[in-house]
Amino acid sequence: MPKITYIEHSGKEHVIDAPAGQTVMEAAVKHAVPGIDADCGGACACATCHVYVDDAWLAKTGEASSMEQSMLDFANDVADNSRLSCQIKVSDALDGLVVRLPKSQH
Amino acid sequence: MLAQARACFKARLRMTDIGSKHALRMANQINRIVIIGAGQAGGEAAVRLRQGGFSGDITLIGEEPALPYQRPPLSKKYLAGEMDLERLLLRPASVYADENIAVLIPLRAVWIDRANKRVRLEGGRELAYDALILATGARPRKLTLVGADLPGAHLFRTTADADAMRPSFLAGAKLAVIGAGYIGLEVAAMARQKGLEVTVLEAAARPLARVTSPEISGFFLDEHTAQGVRFVLGGQPAFIKGKERVTGVGLADGGEISADLVIAGIGVNPETTLAQQCGLRIDNGVAADGSCRTSDPSVFAIGDCAARPMAHYQSRMSRLESVHNAIEGAKLAVAALLDQPAPTVEAPWFWSDQYDLKLQIAGLFQGYDRMVLRGVMADRAFAAFYYREGKLIAVDAVNRPGEFLGAKMLIQSGRTLAPDLIADTSRPMKELVAAAT
Ligand SMILES: Cc1cc2nc3c(=O)[nH]c(=O)nc-3n(C[C@H](O)[C@H](O)[C@H](O)COP(=O)(O)OP(=O)(O)OC[C@H]3O[C@@H](n4cnc5c(N)ncnc54)[C@H](O)[C@@H]3O)c2cc1C
Ligand code: FES
C-alpha cells in the first residue's frame, strides 16, 4: 500500500498507509491527522483540505484543475506547490509522497 | 464495526462508575458529556472534545446503525452506487476507540431529566451527565397522502432510505420526484445520468422557490429541462397510486404521473421531541445562543435541530440545515464547554452538485433588494450576488468557486463590493476582494 507522509505545521510527522483509489485528504481524515479539516468531505466545495506538495512530487501529483485553482486563490498562505488534497488520488506512483500542512485551514 | 463500538462502550461503562464518584468530589467540574444524535454534528462534537483536551467520559448515542456519516453524497455519489458506506463514514471505528469515545448505536435516547441531569435510553438504562449536547438533526416531512406507505415510495434522509431505493434506481425506470428543492433536483440529475425517466412535481411556481432567486430557479429549470426532466409546477399530489407497489402519482387537478419509484423531498422538521419533553425553549428548533447553549446552561444544541443567532445578520435567529452549520455548532459548543476561545464564525455556506454544475452558496439571501450577475448564464459559469441596502449578503455561484470563496470572505468580514464592480468580469475576483472595503 502506498505510504504518505503528512507533516503538520508544527513539524510533527504522520506516516499513513493510504489505499490506492482514496484521496490524499481521505487517508488523512480516516487517520485523524490534525490540520486537514475537509469540511465538504471532498466535494471540492470548501478549500479546507489545503496542503503543500513536496517539490520532488509535484510532477507526479499533476496540475490543479481550473476549478481547484480558483479555490486555491482564496486559501490561506497559498504557494506554488499548494493543492487541495481531496483532488489528489492515491496511486502506487505516489508511494512515498510527502505533503506539508498549512498553519490553518480557515 | 458495531462490535468494536460496543466493546469500546463496555470498557467505558466500567470507567463511568469510577468516574461518577470522582465527579461527586469535584462538584462543579464537567466530567461526563453525553451527546444525543450521532450524525455529523454529534460525531464532530465528540471528536473535537477530545482534540480540545477533554479527558472525561464522552458518550455518543445514535439511533441509526452506522457510525456518523456524511449525508451529502447520499443524493449524489452514494445513490449512483459510486461510493460505499465505508467511504461515507466521517471517521472509521478505530478513531472512536482510540479517542476513548463510547458510541452507543443503534440506540435511542427517550427521556431527559434535567433536574437530576440524567438521560434515559431505550431499554431503561440511564446515563448521568454534567453537560448534554443535543444533536438530534431533522426528520424529513412525510407525505400525508393515501398510498404514501406503498413500497416504492421513499423519503430521503438516511443510508437506509438510499439503500431501499437503489434497487429500483435503474435505467428505464420511471421516477416521480415530489418537491424541487436541492435534494429533489440532485436526485433528478442523478436519475437522468443513470437513464431513468424523470418527472418533478413541485407545488410552487418554480423550483428552489424557498432557497434562491427566480433567476437562479430559471437557470436550473432550463438545465434540467434540457437534460430531459419533465416538470409539473404549481401541482399538488393528491394520492400515491398502486396496489402492491407504487404505479403513479395522482394529481389534485385530476392528472396522473406514471411512476415505478416516488421520491419525496419536501423539507424537514427539526427533531425537538426530547427538547420539548424536558421543557427547553423552542424557536423553530431548539433555541440556543451564539455559543449553542440552550435555555439550560448545562445543555447545548447543535446542527439541524438547533436555531442560533446569525453573527453576520444582526443576530437574527436562524436554523440552518447544512454541513457547515453542523461542524460550526460542534466547534462553538466544544469551545464553550472547554472554556476555550470561540472559533471564527463563518458566513453560512452550502453546495449542491447537479450534472456538471457545482452550485456554491455563501450567506443568507433572504430579504435581498438587488441581485447582480457576474458572468452570463449561457456560459454555465456565473455568480449571482445579492445585496440588501447596498450591502452584500449572499452569493449563488455556479461553476465559479472563486466568486463563492471571495464573497464568503467579504460577508464574513463585513465588507462589501459595489454592484458595478462585481459585474465587471475583466477584473479577477481575487483583485476585487483585495480592494474591497
Ligand atoms: C440527501 C441529503 C443531501 C444533503 N446535501 C447537502 C449538501 O450538499 N451540502 C450541505 O451542506 N448539506 C447537505 N445536506 C444537509 C446536511 O447533511 C445536514 O445539515 C447535516 O447532516 C446535519 O447534521 P446533524 O448532525 O445536525 O443531523 P443529522 O445528520 O440528521 O443527525 C442526527 C442524528 O440523530 C439521530 N437521533 C435523533 N433523535 C435521536 C434520539 N432521541 N436518540 C438517538 N439518536 C437520535 C438521528 O437518527 C440522526 O442519525 C444534505 C442532507 C441530505 C439528507
Ligand atoms: S475537502 Fe472540501 S475542497 Fe477538499
Side-chain angles (χ1 to χ4, degrees):
Chain A
M1 210 183 280
K3 280 199 191 321
I4 299 181
T5 303
Y6 300 82
I7 307 176
E8 286 185 55
H9 192 72
S10 65
K12 194 168 168 205
E13 288 192 15
H14 305 258
V15 182
I16 305 283
D17 287 320
Q22 270 192 4
T23 64
V24 171
M25 174 282 283
E26 280 178 292
V29 169
K30 305 260 181 220
H31 289 87
V33 173
I36 294 189
D37 290 352
D39 288 353
C40 77
C44 198
C46 71
T48 65
C49 63
H50 174 201
V51 299
Y52 305 107
V53 174
D54 188 80
D55 287 341
W57 291 90
L58 277 173
K60 289 207 170 116
T61 47
E63 297 229 321
S65 69
S66 66
M67 287 279 263
E68 182 185 340
Q69 196 52 56
S70 327
M71 306 267 289
L72 281 169
D73 279 349
F74 291 90
N76 289 333
D77 305 321
V78 267
D80 288 344
N81 59 345
S82 287
R83 286 294 306 272
L84 294 180
S85 55
C86 71
Q87 302 302 306
I88 308 175
K89 252 213 175 100
V90 178
S91 66
D92 291 335
L94 293 187
D95 188 10
L97 173 68
V98 178
V99 296
R100 290 184 176 75
L101 311 186
K103 195 163 162 208
S104 154
Q105 296 283 359
H106 281 279
Chain B
M1 182 182 72
L2 294 186
Q4 204 174 337
R6 284 204 192 94
C8 170
F9 169 63
K10 276 189 193 141
R12 290 308 298 166
L13 257 195
R14 267 178 263 124
M15 294 191 67
T16 312
D17 296 336
I18 307 161
S20 56
K21 282 182 201 125
H22 187 63
L24 281 178
R25 271 185 271 124
M26 305 168 73
N28 49 13
Q29 267 218 348
I30 295 176
N31 286 305
R32 295 160 304 185
I33 299 179
V34 171
I35 304 168
I36 304 180
Q40 182 133 25
E44 201 66 39
V47 174
R48 283 181 186 272
L49 278 167
R50 262 316 167 239
Q51 288 172 346
F54 179 69
S55 59
D57 295 345
I58 303 173
T59 310
L60 179 62
I61 306 158
E63 66 187 355
E64 286 187 67
L67 287 167
Y69 62 88
Q70 324 167 47
R71 293 192 197 281
L74 289 181
S75 48
K76 308 175 183 89
K77 285 188 175 160
Y78 187 81
L79 182 60
E82 292 163 13
M83 196 175 187
D84 60 14
L85 180 62
E86 204 194 311
R87 267 188 107 172
L88 207 59
L89 294 183
L90 285 157
R91 292 173 184 84
S94 56
V95 168
Y96 302 93
D98 294 348
E99 300 289 356
N100 223 339
I101 295 165
V103 186
L104 276 57
I105 49 173
L107 197 61
R108 185 196 295 254
V110 292
W111 191 262
I112 297 170
D113 175 355
R114 288 201 288 121
N116 296 300
K117 295 195 173 178
R118 295 179 83 80
V119 173
R120 193 189 313 144
L121 308 178
E122 203 171 34
R125 200 169 71 229
E126 292 194 6
L127 289 175
Y129 68 82
D130 302 312
L132 177 66
I133 300 178
L134 294 176
T136 47
R139 307 280 183 193
R141 281 191 200 120
K142 292 194 173 116
L143 288 172
T144 48
L145 301 176
V146 172
D149 51 358
L150 279 170
H154 303 272
L155 300 174
F156 209 163
R157 182 78 188 172
T158 63
T159 50
D161 295 331
D163 293 343
M165 60 184 81
R166 241 179 4 192
S168 344
F169 204 81
L170 301 170
K174 293 195 206 81
L175 165 67
V177 174
I178 302 183
Y182 291 122
I183 293 177
L185 291 189
E186 285 182 356
V187 169
M190 201 40 91
R192 284 305 297 147
Q193 284 165 299
K194 288 262 152 194
L196 284 81
E197 280 178 42
V198 184
T199 306
V200 175
L201 177 62
E202 166 59 50
R206 59 181 172 101
L208 304 174
R210 282 187 317 127
V211 290
T212 192
S213 59
E215 290 85 350
I216 299 295
S217 291
F219 172 79
F220 280 95
L221 178 61
D222 291 347
E223 283 288 332
H224 281 275
T225 307
Q227 296 279 357
V229 175
R230 231 187 94 211
F231 280 87
V232 180
L233 298 172
Q236 291 280 0
F239 59 92
I240 308 292
K241 209 177 147 191
K243 288 210 173 72
E244 265 116 55
R245 256 196 83 82
V246 163
T247 57
V249 180
L251 304 180
D253 67 4
E256 192 186 312
I257 301 167
S258 127
D260 311 307
L261 183 62
V262 175
I263 300 176
I266 52 170
V268 297
N269 295 318
E271 174 50 71
T272 56
T273 316
L274 286 175
Q276 280 176 289
Q277 166 265 308
C278 72
L280 292 173
R281 204 161 68 77
I282 309 287
D283 176 5
N284 171 34
V286 189
D289 66 12
S291 54
C292 297
R293 210 183 280 271
T294 67
S295 52
D296 177 337
S298 304
V299 183
F300 291 75
I302 62 178
D304 280 16
C305 73
R308 61 182 160 108
M310 293 292 112
H312 313 287
Y313 300 86
Q314 294 92 38
S315 296
R316 173 171 98 213
M317 286 295 279
S318 289
R319 190 180 64 76
L320 305 177
E321 296 160 8
S322 67
V323 163
H324 149 250
N325 175 60
I327 296 174
E328 187 163 274
K331 287 186 193 168
L332 289 165
V334 165
L337 273 165
L338 303 184
D339 213 5
Q340 289 169 355
T344 311
V345 176
E346 292 180 71
W349 60 273
F350 188 83
W351 77 96
S352 174
D353 293 328
Q354 297 166 42
Y355 310 106
D356 56 345
L357 301 170
K358 179 171 294 295
L359 170 64
Q360 291 167 286
I361 301 163
L364 303 174
F365 88 117
Q366 283 84 1
Y368 75 100
D369 50 29
R370 179 157 183 203
M371 192 271 267
V372 181
L373 270 191
R374 180 170 164 83
V376 286
M377 289 187 179
D379 291 344
R380 306 176 82 246
F382 63 91
F385 287 73
Y386 299 95
Y387 288 85
R388 185 187 164 89
E389 290 164 9
K391 193 169 177 260
L392 179 66
I393 55 168
V395 68
D396 284 333
V398 175
N399 290 346
R400 283 277 201 166
E403 274 66 10
F404 159 72
L405 283 177
K408 179 170 168 260
M409 281 170 72
L410 291 176
I411 296 165
Q412 218 159 288
S413 57
R415 288 179 294 161
T416 210
L417 266 176
D420 51 325
L421 281 178
I422 276 295
D424 178 4
T425 47
S426 70
R427 296 182 65 189
M429 189 64 189
K430 197 174 179 181
E431 186 189 310
L432 292 179
V433 171
T437 47

